[in-house]
Amino acid sequence: MQADEAHRARRAAVSIAASLGLTAHHATVLHDSNKLTLRLQPCDVLARVAPATHQGALLEVRIARRLAEAGCPVATLIAPEVFVRDDYEVTLWTYYEPVTTPAIRASDYARALEHLHAGMRGVDLPTPHFTDRVAEAQALVADRDRTPRLADADRVFLAGTLDRLRRAVAGSGRPEQLLHGEPHPGNLLRTATGPLFIDFETCCRGPIEFDLAHAPDEVGDHYPGVDHHLLRDCRTLMLAMITTWRWDRDDLFPDGHRLGVEWLSELRDGGPPLP
């Protein structure tokens, strides 16, 4: 967020916490992108703040609440609702102190994701299909105003790659279910009680391989019943999508343009390496 937006977002989070009887004298920024993640102290609550136009918080809260009730490995809500203040949506979550242990083992990662997927099969809420997310990337590639630095040849290449892989994954015939959408290591916390998934605003429906494409390569080797050819296509599709986001003129990802150039070159070289 821009500095003035971040200031108003912090103020909204502190105000909502106070209205709930939580003491929040300080709001430390833990992550800043299209959504601000704050640690409120001394109450030690995690607040996620986004412009109200974002409109993803309600679905995230509903899904997180259902998954927690099913005993899935997910971060828990302090209050199971979305608060609106000064044109910002705020959700309040348990803050988990970082655990300084070695990285989560691939087998534990796969087990946690399998447990999450099992719980998600019992969640019956209207959610986007993974192809809707691909369509957002395709629209961005086609919009020269939003991607002005993307060369014509690269634009044609990215558009073709997204279309080809969307068709391949959608036509795979694999069972589809509710997915996390982006279960990458940044969305899996190491806590004293074990690994916990966060950030459910990207939930969508599709084959489990689409989720596994966001996890480290070794995780797929420990997840039962994986179609590794489809997983390869999903990994390349995922790389094409995140490459597209880096060419957005409004992208706030650190060092985003350099990564966009690097990932585009990787795609031209055939995509992610085979496991």
Side-chain angles (χ1 to χ4, degrees):
M1 290 185 181
Q2 300 297 328
D4 60 331
E5 293 178 323
H7 175 73
R8 288 187 286 114
R10 285 197 299 270
R11 187 174 59 193
V14 169
S15 175
I16 287 169
S19 72
L20 296 176
L22 300 170
T23 305
H25 298 314
H26 306 286
T28 304
V29 177
L30 301 181
H31 183 71
D32 182 3
S33 59
N34 63 323
K35 178 177 289 191
L36 204 62
T37 302
L38 306 167
R39 180 184 182 183
L40 305 181
Q41 292 177 290
C43 63
D44 231 8
V45 167
L46 186 138
R48 287 163 58 82
V49 190
T53 54
H54 189 72
Q55 296 183 336
L58 183 58
L59 178 61
E60 178 179 31
V61 164
R62 286 176 174 172
I63 290 175
R65 187 174 64 233
R66 299 277 187 91
L67 294 174
E69 291 170 352
C72 292
V74 299
T76 57
L77 288 152
I78 294 293
E81 58 185 297
V82 178
F83 302 92
V84 179
R85 187 71 52 88
D86 298 333
D87 296 325
Y88 287 95
E89 289 184 336
V90 180
T91 52
L92 301 176
W93 305 76
T94 299
Y95 174 78
Y96 297 91
E97 196 69 40
V99 175
T100 57
T101 56
I104 298 170
R105 295 182 302 177
S107 57
D108 293 335
Y109 201 128
R111 191 175 302 111
L113 187 56
E114 185 182 6
H115 188 183
L116 181 72
H117 284 159
M120 284 183 150
R121 286 194 285 274
V123 176
D124 185 19
L125 289 172
T127 51
H129 194 258
F130 85 91
T131 53
D132 296 325
R133 297 189 58 201
V134 180
E136 292 175 4
Q138 291 176 300
L140 187 59
V141 169
D143 191 335
R144 294 177 183 274
D145 289 336
R146 291 184 61 194
T147 53
R149 302 174 73 180
L150 190 59
D152 287 346
D154 293 333
R155 192 180 304 277
V156 170
F157 171 74
L158 262 182
T161 301
L162 288 165
D163 183 62
R164 173 175 59 83
L165 290 166
R166 177 185 61 81
R167 293 175 182 274
V169 176
S172 68
R174 289 281 285 170
E176 296 188 349
Q177 67 156 83
L178 181 63
L179 304 173
H180 181 287
E182 290 186 0
H184 54 68
N187 282 333
L188 185 60
L189 300 180
R190 287 180 287 168
T191 76
T193 58
L196 298 176
F197 285 98
I198 60 172
D199 196 353
F200 300 98
E201 65 175 334
T202 55
C203 284
C204 59
R205 294 192 174 272
I208 55 100
E209 287 82 2
F210 185 79
D211 258 4
L212 282 165
H214 294 78
D217 292 349
E218 300 81 8
V219 174
D221 297 331
H222 296 273
Y223 195 108
V226 174
D227 182 328
H228 287 277
H229 292 290
L230 178 58
L231 178 54
R232 163 74 176 182
D233 282 346
C234 286
R235 283 180 178 146
T236 307
L237 175 59
M238 181 270 292
L239 180 60
M241 292 169 66
I242 63 174
T243 298
T244 299
W245 309 142
R246 302 292 77 82
W247 289 93
D248 187 343
R249 69 183 180 194
D250 298 323
D251 183 46
L252 298 176
F253 198 86
D255 208 14
H257 181 65
R258 181 190 63 80
L259 289 172
V261 172
E262 179 181 315
W263 292 341
L264 189 55
S265 177
E266 186 177 336
L267 279 169
R268 286 191 176 279
D269 290 338
L274 289 168

